[in-house]
Amino acid sequence: MNLDRYTQKSLAAIQAAQACAQEYGNQTVEQAHLLYALLGDAEGLVPQLLTAMGLDARSVAQEVEAALGRLPKVSGYGREAGKLYVSQGVDAALRSAE
């Protein structure tokens, strides 16, 4: 993944997804983390698209947040501090976005 090929907003979304995964105690950054990060930017494209589709972005964010709560958590000795992995789905999305 070549970070030079992403916009500042895209990089911010990736960083927010990583922070979200850490906050929830997940070892892998999943698509739900990335979606939640994109939904968190009220001025971003994703909330605007959802609104244009007649959906409430806050409701979608709540659903995604519930899904995040169901993801496996890693804590204790098995978790390396600050180490996160990227799921295949997120990797494919990022490569496609490049």
Side-chain angles (χ1 to χ4, degrees), residues 6 8 10 15 25 36 45 55 57-59 71 91 95:
Y6 292 96
Q8 292 298 321
S10 297
Q15 290 173 341
Y36 192 70
L45 181 62
L55 299 171
R58 282 182 276 173
S59 295
L71 290 175
D91 185 54
R95 287 182 190 278

Side-chain angles (χ1 to χ4, degrees), residues 52-98:
M53 294 169 53
L55 299 171
D56 179 29
R58 282 182 276 173
S59 295
V60 174
Q62 289 173 342
E63 293 288 330
V64 174
E65 192 172 11
L68 290 173
R70 293 188 295 271
L71 290 175
K73 296 176 180 10
V74 178
S75 62
Y77 295 111
R79 180 181 176 111
E80 293 182 50
K83 186 160 189 160
L84 290 173
Y85 299 95
V86 176
S87 72
Q88 285 184 328
V90 171
D91 185 54
L94 294 177
R95 287 182 190 278
S96 179
E98 247 182 66

Side-chain angles (χ1 to χ4, degrees), residues 9-42:
K9 280 226 178 236
S10 297
L11 291 173
I14 294 167
Q15 290 173 341
Q18 291 172 330
C20 181
Q22 287 179 326
E23 178 183 328
Y24 277 86
N26 308 126
Q27 193 169 17
T28 304
V29 179
E30 300 286 348
Q31 290 173 336
H33 296 111
L34 187 55
L35 177 57
Y36 192 70
L38 291 169
L39 287 166
D41 182 5

